Amino acid sequence: MIDFNQLINNYLKREIRSKSIGRYYPSEAGNCLRKSYYSYKIPRDVDEDLIKVFELGNMLHTFITNALDSEKNPHIEVLESESSFQLPIDEILISGRIDDIISVKLDNKKYVVEVKSTSMLEATKEPSEGHLYQLHVYMHHTGIYNGIILYIERNTLQSKAFYVDYNPAIFNEVATRFRALHKFLTKEILPHPEAKIESKMNWQCNRCQYRQECDANKKW
């Protein structure tokens, strides 16, 4: 008998890659600082189930790009997709990929689109803070100050879009967080466990790979 679950796990398995201190990623901006710290100091395999969620997200992004770029939607023009970028801030570098930059012919505007998958669209009442942070990095880099965070429900392909105007205060908060992470890493100072302290971040503890190490350190 063929174990297809194992075949899929083998295919999706990722090698552990050490991160370089000084090079950070937009998707980390909303993470608990202690979790981000551990991910640089103690690189670890990602949980198999979580890898599958990431892969589904990638598949949905490809689907949305194809839908936007289809001749069946002539009022939409995809200018860029999965474009890599680097944004220097002081002595650090923010590095990543922008999902899509689209042009809408109806209002002659350009938008940066960030696609996210969700298991329950009805529960999504507003963009998450982390997703707002991520989008603001992209808008700051491109100089395109109209953004869309597009949530796609994995089981139904139903969507919900949130239109976001660039707010320099939000980008400054992102920059401050990355500067703080860099300082903690270079000086080897363990950050406070934000996700334990801040109620809006508590959910991050549920599947954190570093929960054992975090629980063992009571100095906060």
Side-chain angles (χ1 to χ4, degrees), residues 18 21 48 51 56 89 154 159 200 209 211 219:
S18 297
I21 295 175
E48 287 182 350
I51 290 177
L56 280 172
I89 301 176
R154 289 188 287 270
S159 65
K200 64 181 179 181
Q209 300 163 274
R211 187 158 188 170
K219 296 179 181 180

Side-chain angles (χ1 to χ4, degrees), residues 148-167:
I148 299 173
I149 300 178
L150 180 65
Y151 290 95
I152 308 294
E153 191 169 66
R154 289 188 287 270
N155 293 337
T156 66
L157 295 185
Q158 291 295 308
S159 65
K160 184 180 290 186
F162 296 92
Y163 289 76
V164 179
D165 294 327
Y166 178 78
N167 183 341

Side-chain angles (χ1 to χ4, degrees), residues 2 6 8 16 48 50 73 79 112 120 132 138 149 159 188 193:
I2 299 175
Q6 188 59 52
I8 292 171
I16 299 176
E48 287 182 350
L50 195 56
N73 293 310
L79 303 178
V112 178
M120 190 178 299
L132 283 172
Y138 302 151
I149 300 178
S159 65
E188 297 192 342

